[in-house]
Amino acid sequence: MATPADVRALFEARLKDSAIPPEFHPSDLERTKDEKYLKRLLTHQEKDAKNAANMLWDILTWRKSVGASDINESNIRIDFVREGIFFPRGRDVDGCLLLIFKAKMHVKGQRDFEELKKIMIYWFDRVEREENGKKITMFFDMEGSGLGNMDMELVKYLITLFKLYYPYFLNYIVIYHMPWVLSAAFKVVRTLLPAQAVEKMKFVSKETLKDVVAPEQALVVWGGKDNYVFEFIPEVRTNTTEQTISKKVTFAEQGDGQHSPGEMLRLVPNDTIVFKNDNDEISGQFTITNMDESAISFKIRTTAPEKFRVRPSSGSLASGSSQTVLIVVQPGIQLRTVSKDRFLVMSIQIPKTDVTPKELSEIWQTSTGSKTDEYRLKCQFPENNIPKNGNITDGKSTEKADVIGNTLSDLEMNYAILHSDVQKLKWLQFLTLSLTVFVAVVGYLVYVNVSDEGKYCERL
């Protein structure tokens, strides 16, 4: 049975035998040593080591040609990114991140396609890093779109990324609220996919979305419970090796309020956020104090951003100043699953607290492990503060929600039936009108013909 070592050996042999060895990007060459990545290649190529090695070669060649490893917020059209045509949010029923494409926000030919391709690569690389190679679901939000929004070139490029350059990365392709005028276009998409990938295509409506994306993970505009509004947050990229070597102690073995010399921040509490149930809302908080002589910028990340509201999630602090961070658990989340989640607080020195967003972004991008501090916090939910049903809502709220949910389901079903009847009626009206026009035209032609014959007979 083929192993990652077999793939690596075949790749290295080809590299050695090349008359002019290609100068692959150093970070891309690291992929050839990543056993997990090589396993993805093998799975993608159905355990064929030779095909997997060839795919690895093609991936590195492609990444070199497009400069994939050097794409970041500083060299893409950030104004396109901030429009929210693409963004990650929520998870499918298998726990895989959704990468959303808002079709109605894209008009074919309106934006430079080469710039859009770079943005697609940016998001694929970013979520691949953040999800540690775990599969994602491509979510085509087609609601409100029309023929002008359908860009087959863009769709084909997305499919190509999954098919050729991001191995074993696709969980589902979800097409939400497909307008009937675009159905033919997605039949073409089916032909671009391998047989096993066709099975991954899911055409869903507001009523059937729950089969693929749970209501808690679905946006409100899809009929879900997530009221998220897209806001672009730049990625924080660090050199993994340097970070491991240079990372400082993060209060893991200290008491509250203590501070280790050389560290930028003091966190209280220092390693655990204790959540409490207050007025049917589960929340916790901690305080950040800047212990550095310089101003600092901080960012807060979590292993499950869809479960929490973090306010503020970033900011700047002058030397000696403090900031309280409030974390609220989103409604409907099972608290016993949240207890496994973690928060990461990152900090970096800045020259002053009023730097521009662009300057701040550049500072973070050029930072290294020696210039940043990291602090990790875990979550704790005292048993007496966890509702019996494991959710944030209490029993009465849940009961009311069930009644409302059933009522809404009935209304949605009745609406769907009514909508179907209206569509049928429209077709009947169209056919009746067409038949009436046809009969009228035929009658007129017969009348004209008879009249002409009568006049001809009179002349005779």
Side-chain angles (χ1 to χ4, degrees), residues 151-166:
D151 189 342
M152 282 304 298
E153 192 176 3
L154 183 148
V155 175
K156 286 179 182 178
Y157 191 75
L158 283 170
I159 298 302
T160 299
L161 292 179
F162 282 113
K163 187 176 178 180
L164 301 179
Y165 304 126
Y166 291 84

Side-chain angles (χ1 to χ4, degrees), residues 59 73 85 98 141 151 206 237 249 277 308 329 368 453:
I59 289 171
E73 289 95 341
I85 303 171
L98 305 180
D141 183 354
D151 189 342
K206 188 168 288 188
R237 295 180 61 178
V249 179
N277 187 0
F308 304 95
V329 182
T368 63
E453 288 182 359

Side-chain angles (χ1 to χ4, degrees), residues 27 236-247 365 367-370 372 374:
S27 65
V236 178
R237 295 180 61 178
T238 56
N239 183 300
T240 305
T241 304
E242 287 183 358
Q243 196 70 13
T244 302
I245 296 173
S246 304
K247 187 173 61 178
Q365 288 174 15
S367 66
T368 63
S370 60
T372 61
E374 289 187 358

Side-chain angles (χ1 to χ4, degrees), residues 353-372:
T353 57
D354 58 346
V355 294
T356 66
K358 182 179 180 180
E359 291 172 335
L360 188 59
S361 177
E362 290 176 351
I363 292 172
W364 278 102
Q365 288 174 15
T366 57
S367 66
T368 63
S370 60
K371 297 180 181 178
T372 61

Side-chain angles (χ1 to χ4, degrees), residues 251-263:
F251 304 121
E253 301 176 356
Q254 299 177 29
D256 283 1
Q258 294 185 12
H259 176 257
S260 178
E263 289 190 326

Side-chain angles (χ1 to χ4, degrees), residues 14-24 57 64:
R14 182 174 178 180
L15 192 63
K16 183 178 179 180
D17 294 340
S18 298
I20 304 177
E23 295 181 1
F24 294 131
W57 185 277
K64 177 186 175 184

